[in-house]
Amino acid sequence: MSRVVLPAAWVARVEGYPADAGPTGAAWLATVPRLIDEALQRWGLVVDGEPRTGWTAVVVPVRRDGEALALKVTWPHPEGTHEALALRTWAGSGAVRLVAALPTDGVLLLERLDADRDLSEVWVDEACEVVGGLLRQLQVPAPPQFPRLPEYLAPHLERMPGRAAVPRRVVTRTVGLARELLSGEVPEVLLHTDLHFENVLMGSQGWTAIDPKPVAGHPAFDLFPLLHNRVDELGTGAAFRWSVRHRVSVAAEAAGIDLDDAFAWTLLRAGVEVSWVSETGDAADVSLHVALTKALDE
């Protein structure tokens, strides 16, 4: 077996994950050492450092014939199903380059990026411009395997009215906006859907997107994650509204997205996010997302 030691705090968190169209976190963790070992042998890899972790994956620095690479093993869940296909579609343009994959096992071999350099400390306007520029690169036609935005959002929109923590005005506004935006022909570009400041790392070709949760839809749906990080920098009151709208505007311009579309689709997603975070029971998180809907609305 490999000598890769999984971080204890990460293991403790993942062990509590319930099954989500796949194994529980605990059941999956029991397979991770084997998956790592098999990948090391299959692709002729040598471990080259301590593993890094995210919410659902462990990434092991490796080398092959002197080339620095990264071995990623991800807990099977619906949002991660098509990651390999998305990376293969982008072919290293704006997103991390996929070297090899075993998608059914959630095992990816990727180019090595600098895990210590993301956009968290970059001046926020510049960071938004970087994200917008990456989104412009990632706006390619989506292959048919990816879920389309209307079908992806449908179950979330159906559940919203039954969630007591979601304000009625948010339900009404979100459902109405969804009816308006999703009723016609929705563009079907490949969306990252999780391109926040911490999911952009520095690589040999510059800033690079990682960890997509891909669907097919309107490119403006990809702007909301800019509001997930560095929330304390948004300020309060009138400054909060200005900062929220400014981030969206800066990124939309860099991405080549119409501003009216940018605010409409970001408002729709903000409303859906209120419903999503209400499932956790975190009142502060719900309040933040309700405030974001207010800031985005006219």
Side-chain angles (χ1 to χ4, degrees):
M1 299 295 282
S2 70
R3 288 173 289 181
V4 175
V5 178
L6 303 178
W10 178 77
V11 168
R13 185 178 71 241
V14 175
E15 281 179 335
Y17 290 175
D20 189 4
T24 64
W28 173 71
L29 282 169
T31 71
V32 170
R34 173 182 59 79
L35 292 172
I36 292 175
D37 278 350
E38 289 178 353
L40 294 175
Q41 295 172 20
R42 178 181 295 106
W43 292 321
L45 308 172
V46 177
V47 175
D48 189 40
E50 297 300 315
R52 306 290 285 257
T53 57
W55 286 102
T56 59
V58 58
V59 180
V60 182
V62 295
R63 284 189 177 270
R64 181 172 64 181
D65 299 328
E67 182 183 13
L69 299 168
L71 178 65
K72 180 178 182 179
V73 184
T74 303
W75 173 59
H77 62 294
E79 289 183 334
T81 301
H82 298 298
E83 179 177 2
L85 179 57
L87 295 179
R88 186 174 294 116
T89 301
W90 286 319
S93 179
V96 62
R97 178 173 59 89
L98 178 68
V99 177
L102 291 171
T104 55
D105 290 332
V107 178
L108 308 180
L109 185 61
L110 307 166
E111 68 171 308
R112 178 97 65 89
L113 303 176
D114 188 343
D116 294 317
R117 290 187 64 190
D118 61 22
L119 293 175
S120 296
E121 302 298 327
V122 175
W123 178 47
V124 71
D125 280 26
E126 180 182 345
C128 289
E129 288 177 356
V130 168
V131 169
L134 290 174
L135 290 177
R136 184 188 284 267
Q137 287 183 262
L138 300 179
Q139 291 172 26
V140 300
Q145 296 94 326
F146 293 95
R148 270 40 192 171
L149 203 49
E151 65 191 61
Y152 172 75
L153 288 178
H156 302 291
L157 293 166
E158 290 170 5
R159 288 194 288 265
M160 278 188 75
R163 290 178 172 160
V166 183
R168 294 304 94 192
R169 65 181 182 279
V170 173
V171 172
T172 301
R173 186 73 170 103
T174 304
V175 172
L177 192 56
R179 189 178 301 114
E180 174 187 338
L181 295 176
L182 300 174
S183 60
E185 290 189 11
V186 179
E188 295 186 345
V189 302
L190 183 54
L191 306 180
H192 184 290
T193 80
D194 198 28
L195 198 55
H196 53 74
F197 299 130
E198 295 175 5
N199 269 350
V200 179
L201 300 180
M202 180 59 71
S204 60
Q205 303 301 312
W207 292 114
T208 304
I210 64 169
D211 292 345
K213 298 174 175 59
V215 300
H218 195 289
F221 191 75
D222 250 344
L223 295 170
F224 181 82
L226 287 167
L227 308 176
H228 275 164
N229 309 131
R230 303 172 67 167
V231 174
D232 57 322
E233 297 177 40
L234 292 172
T236 59
F240 180 86
R241 183 178 188 277
W242 182 90
S243 297
V244 166
R245 299 178 70 84
H246 183 66
R247 285 192 190 183
V248 173
S249 298
V250 171
E253 182 176 356
I257 297 171
D258 175 81
L259 273 184
D260 288 338
D261 287 342
F263 285 113
W265 284 94
T266 305
L267 175 59
L268 169 61
R269 184 159 178 190
V272 174
E273 292 272 349
V274 173
S275 181
W276 284 339
V277 299
S278 72
E279 292 186 80
T280 68
D282 187 333
D285 211 11
V286 173
S287 295
L288 168 63
H289 285 79
V290 170
L292 290 173
T293 66
K294 292 180 180 178
L296 290 162
D297 212 352
E298 293 292 347

